[in-house]
Every structure is written in structure tokens, then in C-alpha cells.
Amino acid sequence: MSDDIRTKIGLRPIINVSGTMTGLGASIVVPEAIAAMTSILPQFVEINDLQRKASEVITRLTGGEAGFVTASCSAGISLAVAGAITGPNLLAIEKLPDVTPERNEILVQMGHVVSYGAPVDQGIRLGGGKPILIGQATSTHRYHMEQAINDKTAAAVYVVSHHVVDYGLLNLKEFVEIAHAKGVPVIVDAASEYDLQIFLAQGADIALYSGHKFLGGPTSGIVAGRKDLVRHAYLQNMGIGRGMKVGKESIFGVMATLEAWEKRDHSGIRERETGYLNLWKQTLDGRPGITALIEPDPTNNPLDRMRVIVSPQEAHITAWDLAGALRKGSPPIIVRDHEVEHHYFYLDPCNLHPGQETIVANRLAEELDKARASNEIIASPIEDLSRHRFDGMLRWPD
Ligand SMILES: *Cc1c(COP(=O)(O)O)cnc(C)c1O
């Protein structure tokens, strides 16, 4: 612990079992990327040439015609949308977010307008797009999309995420078919997906990824796809992309990350994660009021998580109070609690350093023993969670 940089600078040494969260520093950066970033930081480079090299690696891994690195997947949404609106018109690029001419409608299914920490539709608007929401939250039919396409339609955005509604909507193949029938390009937000090829293979014109999620790269975004559209997105670096720029270290870091991804021992990592899940299951099975289920990733990434269902009557604590106790404890453990009002949270095994799985198991057992031993049920009102969610943020930096 003593050589942990976090404790040296007064930060809590958190253990992340929630996934690749921006608010927790995204992911463990792979050693290849760290080495690459260190090697290029003292040197000058011609950035467009470095991005050309990145394009080669991105092309090889994604099957796209071209690609580049930007600040984040979120930036990628804005840049790709902007590119679809402006094309190569340099004056139009400078004028964004004002749009001339006004061909800026961007179709997106209502069930895809989610928040990944910021709203999807804002990413579209930042790029000069006017989001046109098609269908309803839980249903999009072909006619919704077909009849929304007109002369002002610049692109259509499709979001792949555990956050989106996962039934009743158009799947990517249908979405692409309808868009392409009228010459509309499709931009896929695949920020948190393992498969770097499938969306372009299914006809997407642009696929966007985060460099800092499963890939384990530096904070960054990857834009890949049709060469003209990638170029038009890249040209935005002379406009709105300036505030979303990446330095040489991130570009080169992503290149190294992608090369490491090609060689990664994916099945070995899966096996290790399965070991963690089994350990947690052993720890939790048979405890009163606790059900531990190993479940596959909702968007089919090759990853399982553990769903921990907490029955307050028998466990003597609610799922959210348990999550809170783990977060406040020592060391602090952050669980995946997006759906905690349904009395469960998840444990995500993919961001652990060896040995941390045991700490997680021990802390779970400790808190559950403590709750069981208490005479009353630890149950703060769920409404307090939403009431106080942003208290800390609104007080920042104090
Ligand atoms: C994480 C995420 C984003 C944002 O990605 P960043 O690279 O962190 O900007 C966008 N869309 C989806 C679906 C995400 O999961």
C-alpha cells in the first residue's frame, strides 16, 4: 500500500468492481500503452502523420477504410455528426455549431437516447446536429425511421450499450438497411464493446469506440469507418474538435493499445475473471437474504458479472446501504449499482489487480455479517439516493 501513488497524494485507494467508469479513472492502462506514451512524450512529431499511422492500425483492427484518435467516444459522436453535416466545407466547419446550410437532422431511436454520464443527444447537438427522435422509448418500427428521413437528414446514430432499451427497437441491420436505402450514413456508438469489427461489418459507416474501456488504453476515442466520412470528422479538428484534441501520447498510446489487444490472451483473462466470480459466489452462497448469480454481459461482450440480490428482511440491510457501506469502508469498494433500486447490484471482475478479489470477498462477508448481527434492518429510504446524488458534485471543490 505504501507505494500506492493514491495514498501518497491523499486519495482513497478504491477497488473498482463497477466496470470502466470515467468517474473512477476508466481502466487499468496496459503496460504497452504506458511504455509507448513515455517514449513519445519528449519528442516532437507531425500530428497528422502520427494520426495517419494510427489510421493504419485502426484500419487493420476494425476493417474500416480509415480511422483516427480523438479525446473520447463522446467527442467521436460530435465529430462524426459534424463531419456528416459539413462534409469537407472548411467554412462550414469553422461556423459550427451554427449550421449552414441546414442539413443537420440526425436520426436516433428514442430508446437509444441515454446518458453514459452525459446525454447522447447533447453529443449530437454539440456537433451541430438536430436530434430527431424516432419511435417511442420501447418501440421503433420501420415506418418511424423511413418517414423521418428527408432532405435535411445528415446521418443516423445507433447506440450499443447496456443502457439502451433492449427490446422493441430496430436492430442495427434493419437500421442500416433503412438508412442506406435513402443514402443516409450510419454512425454507431460502440464505446464499450469488445468487438471492433462487427458494427462496420453489419454496414455501419462509422464505428466509435472508447480507448479507455475494455481496450485498456489512455483516455481517448477511436473513430473508424468509411474514408470520406472519417476524413470529414477529422477535419473538425480545425473547428469544434480543437477542444476535444488528443496529444501525441494518446494517439501513440492507442496504437500500442490496439496492437496489444491483437495479442491479448483473451481466454486467459476470462478464466481469471471466472475465478474471481466463483470466489465471490462461494463467499455469498448460503448467506441469508443474498442471492449471487453469474450473468453474461447484456450486449454480448465476452464477460460475466455477478448479480448480488439483497433481500433486506433477511440480510438486515438493503442493496443500496450495502453498496454504501462498501464504498465508505476500508479499502473503499465501488460496486456497479445503476439498478440498485431493484435490490441488486453487480460486481464486475474486469478491473482488478491480483489479490483484490479476495479483499472484495472479505469485505462483502464482513459487511453482511455485521448487518446480520444488527437487530434492526439497515434501510435508508431509496429516495435519499436521488435527493442527494449530486450534493458532492455541487459542492466541488470543497
Ligand atoms: C462510455 C460511453 C460513451 C462515452 O465514451 P467516452 O469515451 O468516455 O466519452 C458513449 N457511449 C456509450 C454507449 C458509452 O458506454
Side-chain angles (χ1 to χ4, degrees), residues 20-22 26 71-77 114-118 120 159-164 189-193 208-213 219-222:
T20 47
M21 301 296 154
T22 288
S72 62
C73 182
S74 184
I77 297 173
V114 296
S115 173
Y116 46 75
V120 162
V159 180
V160 184
S161 169
H162 63 94
H163 289 300
V164 304
D189 170 2
S192 195
E193 299 307 301
L208 305 167
Y209 293 90
S210 292
H212 49 267
K213 291 188 177 170
T219 299
S220 57
I222 297 168

